[in-house]
C-alpha cells in the first residue's frame, strides 16, 4: 500500500480513538494534541498492527510522536 | 537553571491535595513492632496485616529464625562482595541447591532481589535483534529488564492469547524470541492461561520466561507455581522467583534446565556488579524453601482463607478483581484514588493494613486495595477482617 492509501486507512482507524473530535493533521502529536494515555495508545497500536499485519515495537513507538510519522512508519513497515 | 525536579510537580501536587484532605499518608506507614506474620503495631495500634505477600507466614518460623541466627554467628553479618568474587558462601550454594530440589531443575542462580533477577535475566538473554513479547500488565522489574537490554519489545493485551499469537507470528523469520509471562498478576490476583500461551510460544519457536513471584509455595502440586498447576512447567525455559513473598526474607532467583545456563553468572550485570545476599538471609531462605516442600496443610488453609475472604467481601457488595479467587491476592476495586485512600485509612483505624495500589502501577488506571492472605491468618481473623471491611466500607461510602 502506498503512503496515500495507508494514510486513508489510518484516518479511518483513528476515528473511534479520537473521542474529542480533534482535527488531525500530519503534525498532530499523540501525547500532546490528542492527550492519549498509555492504554489508548496500546489499543490504537494494536488496531493498526492488526489492520496492516505488522508489529510496531515499543522501540519504534518511541520514535513516533506525530500522526505524519506514524503514516511514514506504517508505510515503511509494510515493506 | 532548569530544575530537574519540575517533572515531578504533578505528583507532588496530587500528594499534597490528598494529604491536605487529612488522610494519613498511605505510602509512609511505619511498622513499629511486628508481633507475628499477621499482626504488627502501627501508630501505636495493633493491626492485622493483610497486605504483606507473606503468603506462607515463614517470617517467624522457629527453624528459619534459628538458621539465620546461626549463620550470623558462623559467617558474620555480610559478604561485602559480588557473587563472582568473594561473595559466594556455603549458604549461597545451599540455597541454590534448595531451589534446584524445590523446582526439580538443573540450575539455580540467586540474585540480591527478585527485581534484579528479572532485570538481569531478561536484559542478558534477549539482546540486540532479538524480540521480547510480553503481557502489557507485566511487573515493573520485567519492563525495566526490557528497557535495559537492547531487544525489540512487543507488548500484547493482558492475558490475550490471540493478541500474543498474532504478534509472535509477525516477528521476522530467524529472529530470537523470548515470551515473558507471569503466573499470578499481582494487581488483580488473576492467573495467566499459561498452558495455551506456552504452547503457542513453543509452536512459534520462542523461549519462555515465567515470573512465579506470587505463586511459589502454594500453587501447583509441589508449590512450584501456575505453570506446574497447568502441567507445563517442563516447557518453561526460565522461572523467575523471589524470596520476598512466600519464602519470607529477601532475594530473587532464576531456575532453568538450559544446558548453558551457568554462563549467565559471568555475563549478567545485575548479578555480577552488586554485593551478594548476607549469610543470614541465604540460610533463612534455604531453610524456608526446604520447609515449603512439605507444607501441604498450610497451603490448604491459605486457600480456605482466600475463598472465605473473597466470598465475604463479594457478599457485602465490594467489587473484586476476579470473579473467583484465583490466588492468595484478593483485590478490591475502589471508585477513585480519593475514596480509595479514604477507605484505606478507615481500614487502618479499624486495625487492618492492606496495600493501596494506584496508577501507573495498576492496570486501566484503577485504584485498588490489595489484600494478600497468609497461611497463618486464622479463620477467626478472616471473619474479623470481613467485619472491618464492612464497617470501613460504609464509613467511606464504598458500599
Ligand atoms: C511479579 C513480580 N516480580 C518480581 C518482583 C520483585 O521481587 P523482589 O521484591 O524480590 O524484588 C515482584 C515483587 O515486588 C513481583 O510482584
Amino acid at each position: 500500500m502506498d503512503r496515500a492509501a495507508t494514510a486513508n486507512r489510518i484516518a479511518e482507524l483513528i476515528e473511534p480513538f479520537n473521542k474529542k473530535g480533534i482535527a488531525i493533521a500530519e503534525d498532530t502529536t499523540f501525547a500532546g494534541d490528542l492527550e492519549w494515555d498509555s492504554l489508548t495508545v496500546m489499543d490504537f497500536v494494536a488496531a493498526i498492527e492488526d489492520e496492516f499485519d505488522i508489529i510496531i515495537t515499543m522501540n519504534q513507538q518511541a520514535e513516533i510522536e506525530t500522526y505524519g510519522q506514524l503514516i511514514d512508519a506504517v508505510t515503511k513497515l509494510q515493506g | 537553571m532548569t530544575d530537574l525536579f519540575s517533572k515531578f510537580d504533578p505528583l507532588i501536587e496530587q500528594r499534597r491535595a490528598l494529604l491536605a484532605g487529612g488522610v494519613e499518608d498511605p505510602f509512609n506507614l511505619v511498622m513499629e513492632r511486628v508481633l507475628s506474620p499477621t499482626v504488627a503495631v502501627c501508630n501505636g495500634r495493633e493491626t492485622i496485616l493483610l497486605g504483606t505477600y507473606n503468603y506462607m507466614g515463614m517470617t517467624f518460623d522457629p527453624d528459619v529464625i534459628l538458621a539465620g541466627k546461626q549463620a550470623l554467628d558462623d559467617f558474620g553479618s555480610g559478604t561485602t562482595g559480588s557473587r563472582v568474587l568473594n561473595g559466594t558462601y556455603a549458604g549461597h550454594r545451599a540455597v541454590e541447591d534448595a531451589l534446584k530440589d524445590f523446582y526439580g531443575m538443573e540450575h539455580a542462580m540467586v540474585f540480591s532481589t527478585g527485581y534484579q533477577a528479572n532485570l538481569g535475566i531478561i536484559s542478558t538473554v534477549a539482546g540486540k535483534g532479538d524480540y521480547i513479547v510480553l503481557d502489557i500488565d507485566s511487573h515493573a522489574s520485567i519492563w525495566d529488564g526490557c528497557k535495559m537490554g537492547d531487544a525489540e519489545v512487543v507488548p500484547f493485551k493482558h492475558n490475550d492469547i490471540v493478541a500474543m499469537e498474532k504478534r509472535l507470528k509477525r516477528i521476522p523469520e530467524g529472529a530470537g524470541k523470548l515470551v515473558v509471562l507471569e503466573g499470578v498478576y499481582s494487581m488483580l490476583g488473576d492467573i495467566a492461561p499459561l498452558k495455551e500461551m506456552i504452547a503457542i510460544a513453543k509452536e512459534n519457536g520462542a523461549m519462555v520466561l515465567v515470573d512465579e513471584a506470587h505463586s511459589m509455595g502454594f500453587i501447583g502440586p509441589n508449590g512450584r507455581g501456575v505453570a506446574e498447576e497447568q502441567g507445563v512447567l517442563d516447557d518453561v525455559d526460565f522461572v523467575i522467583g523471589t524470596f520476598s513473598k512466600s519464602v519470607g526474607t529477601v532475594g530473587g532467583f532464576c531456575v532453568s534446565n538450559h544446558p548453558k545456563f551457568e554462563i549467565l553468572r559471568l555475563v549478567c550485570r545485575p548479578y555480577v556488579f552488586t554485593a551478594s545476599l548476607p549469610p543470614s538471609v541465604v540460610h533463612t531462605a534455604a531453610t524456608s524453601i526446604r520447609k515449603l516442600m512439605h507444607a501441604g496443610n498450610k497451603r490448604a488453609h491459605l486457600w480456605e482463607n482466600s475463598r472465605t475472604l473473597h466470598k465475604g467481601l463479594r457478599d457485602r457488595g465490594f467489587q473484586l478483581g476476579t470473579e473467583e479467587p484465583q490466588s492468595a491476592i484478593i483485590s478490591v476495586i475502589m471508585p477513585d484514588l480519593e475514596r480509595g485512600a479514604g477507605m484505606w485509612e478507615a481500614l487502618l483505624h479499624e486495625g487492618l493494613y492492606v496495600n493501596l495500589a494506584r496508577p501507573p502501577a495498576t492496570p486501566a488506571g484503577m485504584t485498588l486495595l490489595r489484600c494478600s492472605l497468609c497461611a497463618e491468618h486464622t479463620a477467626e481473623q478472616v471473619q474479623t477482617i470481613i467485619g472491618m471491611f464492612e464497617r470501613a466500607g460504609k464509613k467511606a461510602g464504598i458500599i
Side-chain angles (χ1 to χ4, degrees), chain B residues 94-295:
Chain B
V95 73
E96 286 175 345
D97 288 342
L99 284 167
K100 287 191 256 181
D101 291 344
F102 185 91
Y103 285 95
M105 294 221 192
E106 296 289 319
H107 305 279
M109 189 167 160
V110 165
F111 291 77
S112 297
T113 65
Y115 178 90
Q116 281 161 293
N118 270 326
L119 204 63
I121 297 293
I122 294 172
S123 67
T124 309
V125 167
K128 197 163 179 58
D130 299 330
Y131 282 74
I132 299 171
V133 176
L134 82 168
D135 190 291
I136 192 92
D137 287 351
S138 293
H139 188 260
S141 55
I142 293 173
W143 283 110
D144 292 357
C146 291
K147 204 158 183 179
M148 190 172 138
D150 291 318
E152 298 291 327
V153 180
V154 182
F156 62 86
K157 189 165 169 233
H158 178 54
N159 272 353
D160 189 329
I161 300 168
V162 175
M164 185 194 87
E165 181 169 24
K166 278 186 191 161
R167 277 154 190 78
L168 269 172
K169 289 202 184 304
R170 290 179 194 142
I171 292 172
E173 192 90 31
K177 290 167 247 179
L178 177 68
V179 168
V180 178
L181 304 167
E182 294 181 33
V184 174
Y185 286 87
S186 70
M187 285 298 155
L188 296 177
D190 57 331
I191 61 172
L194 290 183
K195 188 164 188 241
E196 293 80 4
M197 291 184 138
I198 291 173
I200 290 169
K202 291 284 143 183
E203 273 164 36
N204 287 280
M207 286 195 169
V208 176
L209 178 150
V210 180
D211 181 333
E212 297 270 17
H214 293 277
S215 58
M216 183 179 183
F218 59 95
I219 295 185
N222 296 294
R224 292 170 183 167
V226 177
E228 186 194 29
E229 174 76 25
Q230 299 184 7
V232 290
L233 186 57
D234 285 346
D235 293 324
V236 176
D237 297 277
F238 310 99
V239 174
I240 297 286
T242 174
F243 298 161
S244 75
K245 307 188 195 297
S246 293
V247 178
T249 174
V250 65
F253 62 87
C254 178
V255 291
S256 174
N257 281 327
H258 196 292
K260 298 179 188 167
F261 187 75
E262 295 295 325
I263 196 64
L264 290 179
R265 292 188 201 270
L266 298 183
V267 292
C268 180
R269 296 167 65 89
Y271 179 83
V272 174
F273 293 101
T274 193
S276 66
L277 289 166
S280 54
V281 167
V282 284
H283 282 269
T284 54
T287 306
S288 177
I289 290 163
R290 294 218 177 263
K291 286 195 91 166
L292 287 176
M293 293 168 82
H294 311 285

